[in-house]
């Protein structure tokens, strides 16, 4: 021990100073508090390990130079590597390796493992552990590191993968991110509690039993007289009965119109109450669906459930009609998901699990001991299907959560999970008897073949209300411009604000049409409604039109489009027409999903038949193993000491990074936010989300060349010439013409 270290008694080693009160927290106190919280957050199998991890994380603060820095000296000190070195000294491999990843990265993020020949200037774990640190050995006089049963720890690590070493890398990485999550949240919470200027917000609350009672009363209130209503009730009762079995993953395959959303939340509440689970996390594929889901649950549960919404397009700062206490509690809960009921997106969920960063991973440990509902589960991205399924399988097996997959077009998830994620996963089909599905077949699907846009519009002309869905935004715009009469356009070229407005207008006109023409007969031409949209309208948008036209796409997309047709079953049968646009058919390579669907259109008289859906997913997934597994983590690094945590996290993107959000100021509030961005170079993108549209990189570059877009050096791109935006069409890419 150096003479410098001896000059400070252990009680004087400072971790934090409260800038408001001047009070001092010692390294020992902070380390022990963090260790206790780590253990409290942990699943029982890792509790002792987590305590040891928390106790060691700030050992580097025992360096003399750090103590000078915290007392005001202008010196730069790295402290996180010291705890990693201490772990290597105190605990056996691979336990010490997991600790080292977590402790070395607890500020900057879990690093790549690197290689034995990495030098000290390389930012991998291997490189950082070769750096020279001041003597920090005084920690041994201050902290008593506990023993951790290495045999039990290793047994938990290798469980299920004794004969599959390649998968062991994935499990080790998963548990490392989980341990990191416990550590950084414990560290953040103790630091915030000590350094606070005022009382921290209270935790959001919920009464699961009272909410379950409300859901039961809701189901009891439903009328059950028609064949459709009776079929819906039979399916729901089948799901509820089978959900009483103990499982890890539950598959709820129910047709559109069968009440899946409400049924899923009843199952979730029953499982949460029975298993004393901490929270329910409702995962939705798109931001656009969250609004109506949150509204449904909010209206149903009222004050018995304080719901946390975590999505990129929503800001609690701008939300009206909520109390200040609720606002502050929700904003805090968004950091670590310490809330009883969370509604979020698949992007938020999976990119958090596979992140390496403190801010995102902090919430991962609160996915444990939870009920996880995946709405529209078939929309999990194919390129990342293996890691997504594996994350769910590991959360349910090792962190004691339960998952519910919810969709009307269910892939063979049992086989997929057992093939690509966890061989003996305990999976329960909530719907085994599908005989009632035929009652929900309210549409016939007809393939028109190749057709030009004029012929398509002529074919659709007499329909009182029709929804025409195409694959490209430019196609939607062109088709909309060729339409006549009462028409609406939807695409992500439009801002979220305008899409919401247009959807509201569509619902109003559809309602008026039914009121004025109850049988939808003899509707005059000027009252016939045409909606032209991209696929954004397919999932979760509650519309009911007379006829649907869908450009060929994946079978799941076609059937989702059909779910907008005759949705309430008011007619015995309605029509969904599938087509190839003549101009589009000659452009570019064939999309795989589209190609498979087109072959099935020729082979099946009814593409909504379960056998057709099964064959579609078999062709898509089980004949394409390389595509499914190309982004598996263990392919990136096959040794525990070389796992590329940082590199893999940066690569893991569910949403295509080649697209950009463009802010379009549309009112005084948004214009003020953009002006503040221009002059302060700082802004809150979440406040601007509803004013954003989505464009490709080359489209953004084209607008920049035309001096229509600037980012003011912030990376937040804003449309500065609003002549390039039309409220019905969205971004136009060329200015309006003016005639003098």
């Amino acid at each position: 021990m150096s003479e410098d270290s001896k000059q400070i008694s252990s009680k004087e080693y400072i971790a934090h100073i409260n800038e408001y009160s001047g009070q001092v927290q010692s390294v020992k106190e902070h380390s022990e508090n963090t260790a206790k919280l780590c253990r409290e957050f942990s699943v029982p199998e890792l509790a002792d390990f987590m305590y040891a991890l928390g106790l060691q994380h700030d050992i580097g603060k025992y360096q003399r130079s750090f103590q000078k820095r915290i007392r005001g000296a202008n010196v730069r000190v790295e402290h996180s590597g010291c705890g990693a070195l201490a772990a290597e000294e105190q605990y056996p491999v691979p336990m010490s390796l997991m600790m080292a990843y977590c402790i070395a990265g607890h500020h900057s993020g879990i690093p790549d493992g690197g290689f034995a020949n990495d030098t000290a200037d390389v930012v991998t774990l291997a490189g950082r552990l070769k750096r020279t640190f001041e003597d920090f050995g005084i920690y041994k006089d201050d902290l008593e590191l506990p023993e951790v049963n290495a045999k039990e720890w290793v047994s938990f690590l290798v469980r299920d993968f004794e004969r599959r070493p390649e998968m062991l890398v994935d499990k080790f990485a998963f548990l490392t991110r989980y341990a990191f999550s416990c550590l950084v949240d414990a560290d953040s919470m103790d630091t915030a509690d000590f350094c606070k200027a005022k009382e921290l917000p209270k935790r959001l609350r919920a009464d699961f039993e009272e909410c379950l009672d409300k859901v039961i009363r809701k189901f009891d209130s439903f009328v059950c007289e028609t064949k459709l209503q009776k079929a819906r009730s039979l399916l729901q009762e089948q799901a509820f009965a089978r959900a009483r079995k103990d499982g890890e993953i539950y598959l709820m395959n129910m047709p559109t119109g069968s009440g899946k959303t409400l049924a899923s939340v009843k199952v979730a509440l029953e499982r949460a109450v029975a298993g004393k689970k901490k929270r329910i996390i409702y995962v939705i594929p798109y931001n656009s669906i969250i609004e109506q889901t949150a509204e449904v649950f909010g209206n149903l549960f009222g004050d018995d459930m304080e719901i946390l919404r975590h999505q990129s397009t929503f800001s609690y700062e701008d939300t009206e009609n909520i109390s200040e206490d609720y606002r502050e509690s929700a904003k805090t809960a968004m950091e670590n998901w310490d809330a009883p009921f969370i509604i979020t997106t698949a992007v938020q969920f999976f990119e958090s699990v596979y992140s390496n960063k403190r801010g995102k991973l902090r919430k991962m440990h609160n996915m444990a001991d939870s009920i996880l509902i995946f709405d529209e589960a078939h929309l999990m991205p194919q390129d990342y299907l293996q890691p997504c399924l594996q994350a769910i399988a590991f959360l349910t097996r090792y962190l004691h959560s339960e998952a519910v997959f919810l969709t009307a077009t269910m892939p063979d998830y049992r086989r997929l999970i057992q093939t690509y994620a966890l061989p003996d996963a305990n999976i329960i089909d909530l719907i085994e008897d599908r005989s009632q599905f035929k009652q929900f077949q309210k549409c016939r699907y007809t393939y028109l073949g190749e057709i030009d846009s004029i012929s398509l519009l002529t074919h659709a002309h007499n329909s009182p209300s029709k929804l025409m869905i195409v694959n490209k935004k430019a196609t939607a715009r062109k088709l909309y411009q060729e339409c006549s009469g009462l028409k609406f356009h939807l695409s992500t070229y439009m801002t979220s604000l305008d899409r919401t407005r247009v959807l509201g207008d569509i619902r109003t006109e559809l309602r008026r049409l039914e009121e004025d023409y109850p049988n939808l007969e003899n509707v005059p031409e000027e009252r016939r409604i045409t909606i032209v949209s991209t696929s954004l309208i397919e999932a979760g948008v509650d519309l009911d039109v007379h006829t649907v036209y869908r450009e060929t796409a994946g079978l799941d997309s076609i059937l989702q489009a059909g779910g907008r047709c005759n949705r309430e079953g008011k007619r015995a049968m309605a029509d969904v027409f599938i087509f190839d646009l003549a101009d589009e058919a000659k452009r570019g390579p064939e999309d795989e999903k589209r190609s498979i669907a087109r072959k099935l259109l020729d082979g099946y008289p009814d593409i909504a038949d379960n056998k057709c859906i099964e064959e579609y997913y078999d062709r898509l997934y089980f004949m394409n193993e390389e595509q499914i597994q190309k982004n598996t983590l263990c392919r990136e690094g096959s040794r525990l000491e070389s796992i590329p945590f940082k590199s893999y996290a940066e690569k893991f993107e569910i949403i295509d990074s080649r697209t950009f959000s463009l802010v379009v100021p549309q009112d005084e509030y948004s214009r003020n936010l953009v002006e503040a961005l221009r002059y302060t170079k700082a802004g809150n993108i979440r406040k601007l989300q509803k004013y954003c549209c989505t464009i490709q990189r080359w489209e953004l570059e084209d607008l920049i060349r035309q001096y229509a877009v600037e980012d003011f050096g912030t990376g937040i791109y804003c449309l500065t010439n609003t002549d390039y935006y039309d409220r019905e069409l969205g971004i136009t890419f060329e200015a309006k013409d003016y005639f003098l």
Side-chain angles (χ1 to χ4, degrees), residues 672-682 710-712 714 720:
N672 288 340
L673 287 174
V674 170
E675 283 303 296
L677 196 66
R678 181 196 299 269
Y679 293 110
T680 67
K681 310 300 181 189
E710 293 183 51
D711 73 342
F712 317 116
T714 65
T720 50

Side-chain angles (χ1 to χ4, degrees), residues 60-71:
K61 291 185 176 180
Y62 284 98
Q63 294 175 100
R64 181 73 178 180
S65 56
F66 182 89
Q67 291 305 308
K68 289 180 179 178
R69 178 180 175 276
I70 203 165
R71 288 170 167 83

